[in-house]
Amino acid sequence: MTYEVPNEREKDFVRNIKIYFNQKGNHTLYNKRNIVKIVKFEGKKYVVKSFKTPHFLNQIVYRFFRDSKAKRSFVNSTKLANLGINTPEPIGFIEFPTRLRFKESFYISEFFDFDFEIRAVLADKEFEDRENILKRFIEYTYKLHQKKVHHIDYSPGNILVKKVGSFYSFSIIDVNRMEFVEFDDDLRMQNLAKLSNDREDNEFMAKYYAQIAKLDKTSLISKLNTALKKQKKYLSNKKRLKKLKSKKS
């Protein structure tokens, strides 16, 4: 096994994660391609993500040539914390390779007791304090971009929101696919294009982004619309390819 756990207190927990993960009574948050559970250790809650074992070719790639999703989640979360970007505190990761192949892997973080996902706000036009939340969210997104954080899976379900008094705190999850790059205006809007298909909301977010970034709003709206068209085409092709694969199988 290969693992990294900065805090000595949690090394036993991570080294024996399979035992803790499979205990009865754990609450499952997600169970599709990967499995995500809330797991307790010494009275404290953690979120443990078990990554699906890769297909045969990727078992070799991840064994010898590329960092695993679990390791990338830990490394990226640590970078975010150092940049002052909220993400559930990283605890560690562990991998279970064989001599020639990559098999199971887990990423462990502290449990973040959020109130709602940004998805809930975007889906409900009557959501309480909606306009204020969206403005604060765009300010947070701009902060990410200014700190060169490109969250490739910047989807509504990966942005958690916690209300503290009148203040909204945002936290990002599912960070294994991330890069740290300089943003141009096209990339800024490509990132926003993954959030909503609602024309009114997109225009509102692009205009407010332009306001705080001191950029031309007409140009940004145009770039966002271009990015939305590309995103729609990409998702359509992905869906078509998935159907073809299912027919063949």
Side-chain angles (χ1 to χ4, degrees):
M1 77 176 67
T2 304
Y3 67 94
E4 186 172 344
V5 191
N7 192 332
E8 190 69 31
R9 174 185 169 275
E10 284 137 343
K11 280 191 177 177
D12 175 71
F13 174 52
V14 175
R15 283 172 57 88
N16 294 285
I17 198 62
K18 289 186 185 182
I19 296 172
Y20 290 105
F21 190 78
N22 291 316
Q23 283 179 337
K24 290 183 178 179
N26 289 334
H27 177 62
T28 301
L29 296 172
Y30 184 86
N31 187 2
K32 289 185 180 178
R33 185 176 182 183
N34 307 305
I35 304 173
V36 183
K37 294 182 180 181
I38 296 176
V39 179
K40 289 184 180 179
F41 173 69
E42 295 186 352
K44 194 172 180 179
K45 288 182 180 179
Y46 298 86
V47 173
V48 182
K49 185 171 186 176
S50 170
F51 289 92
K52 181 182 177 182
T53 301
H55 60 68
F56 178 77
L57 180 59
N58 274 348
Q59 286 182 35
I60 297 169
V61 171
Y62 284 127
R63 179 66 181 89
F64 297 105
F65 306 108
R66 190 180 182 192
D67 286 342
S68 71
K69 292 179 180 181
K71 182 176 181 178
R72 280 183 277 144
S73 295
F74 176 74
V75 169
N76 288 338
S77 293
T78 303
K79 285 182 180 178
L80 290 172
N82 291 336
L83 288 169
I85 300 295
N86 288 343
T87 190
E89 184 178 342
I91 299 302
F93 74 93
I94 188 165
E95 304 164 341
F96 297 92
T98 64
R99 190 169 66 87
L100 296 176
R101 296 185 195 177
F102 185 89
K103 294 293 183 179
E104 293 177 279
S105 65
F106 297 81
Y107 169 63
I108 303 94
S109 64
E110 278 196 2
F111 173 74
F112 176 61
D113 190 17
F114 65 98
D115 292 318
F116 51 89
E117 299 168 349
I118 200 66
R119 168 166 50 195
V121 183
L122 291 167
D124 182 2
K125 294 282 188 178
E126 303 300 320
F127 199 94
E128 184 180 355
D129 205 20
R130 188 175 194 266
E131 183 174 322
N132 181 38
I133 296 170
L134 289 179
K135 283 185 175 180
R136 303 294 82 80
F137 170 60
I138 292 303
E139 289 168 4
Y140 173 78
T141 301
Y142 178 66
K143 178 184 176 182
L144 290 182
H145 296 171
Q146 290 302 97
K147 293 200 172 188
K148 304 179 182 179
V149 177
H150 182 208
H151 190 338
I152 296 171
D153 293 321
Y154 201 56
S155 64
N158 287 337
I159 299 125
L160 312 180
V161 189
K162 177 77 174 176
K163 187 177 183 183
V164 184
S166 60
F167 176 75
Y168 295 96
S169 175
F170 299 89
S171 185
I172 48 178
I173 60 171
D174 204 6
V175 299
N176 71 87
R177 294 211 310 147
M178 179 170 283
E179 55 186 6
F180 297 85
V181 296
E182 289 283 354
F183 277 78
D184 59 17
D185 293 350
D186 290 305
L187 186 56
R188 292 174 192 272
M189 293 302 101
Q190 284 171 29
N191 213 203
L192 276 188
K194 297 180 180 180
L195 295 167
S196 173
N197 291 319
D198 186 276
R199 184 176 179 179
E200 186 180 352
D201 284 346
N202 282 324
E203 188 169 312
F204 174 83
M205 290 190 287
K207 282 182 177 178
Y208 191 66
Y209 192 107
Q211 181 182 326
I212 60 177
K214 295 181 172 56
L215 297 169
D216 181 74
K217 65 181 180 182
T218 303
S219 174
L220 276 197
I221 291 171
S222 175
K223 290 179 183 298
L224 179 57
N225 286 334
T226 298
L228 285 165
K229 288 177 184 176
K230 288 181 179 178
Q231 176 76 357
K232 186 177 180 180
K233 185 177 180 180
Y234 166 76
L235 292 174
S236 177
N237 289 339
K238 187 177 179 181
K239 188 176 181 180
R240 192 180 299 115
L241 185 61
K242 191 175 182 179
K243 282 184 177 180
L244 287 172
K245 284 183 177 179
S246 63
K247 283 181 180 179
K248 288 180 180 179
S249 59

